[in-house]
Amino acid sequence: MKVLAGVLVAGMLTIGIGVQAEEKITSAEALVKSMVRADMTYRQLMESMGSSLSQISLGILSENKQLVERGTNYLLTHPAPRHNPWSIMPEEDQAGFKQALVTYDIVLEDYSIQIAEAAKQDQWLQANQHLNDLNTACISCHMAWRDKALTRAVME
């Protein structure tokens, strides 16, 4: 589960335990089911994840492992919004968005772990490169999907 990954990364940073492989999630439905639901919209979730990226960046700039750990831990354990994320898309785009959610979740997890590992080893330039790669992935997803999202508030 995603929560397990976050706990493992926190332990990895403080006591040097490696991250263990997780069960592979292949559908958006399974991905959302593996997460805790939060009382927030998808937009609010993206804003909180953006705050975590800022916290990671500040941690790298100040060589503060604790800030990097907090930011990466949130990215690894982030909740699901109160509604199904794909409901922000028109019906004809939902299948593609579901696949993007699964794909980008893997990217988010991989880069978050790489950032945390590099920070743990005081490899700040490497941590920053992984953060740049993660930011590029985030922006790529936004560019692909943002204009397709419905503008109405989604409530379930």
Side-chain angles (χ1 to χ4, degrees), residues 7-87:
V7 170
L8 287 171
V9 168
M12 172 185 68
L13 286 173
T14 56
I15 61 174
I17 298 173
V19 176
Q20 298 174 2
E22 295 181 39
E23 188 177 310
K24 186 174 180 180
I25 294 177
T26 59
S27 74
E29 292 83 1
L31 177 63
V32 169
K33 188 176 179 181
S34 74
M35 299 173 171
V36 172
R37 289 277 185 155
D39 187 20
M40 66 174 75
T41 64
Y42 190 73
R43 180 182 186 136
Q44 291 167 332
L45 174 62
M46 290 296 104
E47 289 169 349
S48 67
M49 293 176 80
S51 293
S52 293
L53 290 170
S54 295
Q55 189 172 51
I56 293 166
S57 181
L58 180 59
I60 291 169
L61 286 169
S62 61
E63 297 183 4
N64 183 319
K65 293 177 187 178
Q66 186 176 24
L67 286 177
V68 174
E69 180 179 353
R70 283 185 192 163
T72 55
N73 198 34
Y74 183 79
L75 295 180
L76 288 165
T77 62
H78 72 84
R82 64 178 165 242
H83 55 82
N84 289 328
W86 50 90
S87 66

Side-chain angles (χ1 to χ4, degrees), residues 70-138:
R70 283 185 192 163
T72 55
N73 198 34
Y74 183 79
L75 295 180
L76 288 165
T77 62
H78 72 84
R82 64 178 165 242
H83 55 82
N84 289 328
W86 50 90
S87 66
I88 68 169
M89 292 293 155
E91 188 74 34
E92 63 271 14
D93 292 316
Q94 288 186 9
F97 189 66
K98 284 180 179 183
Q99 186 57 50
L101 289 169
V102 174
T103 300
Y104 279 99
D105 187 69
I106 294 167
V107 170
L108 177 74
E109 186 172 310
D110 287 348
Y111 283 130
S112 295
I113 291 169
Q114 290 174 25
I115 293 164
E117 274 287 328
K120 175 187 164 232
Q121 298 170 13
D122 292 319
Q123 299 294 318
W124 298 107
L125 289 175
Q126 191 65 38
N128 190 58
Q129 183 58 57
H130 294 311
L131 177 59
N132 288 339
D133 293 340
L134 177 55
N135 280 322
T136 298
C138 291

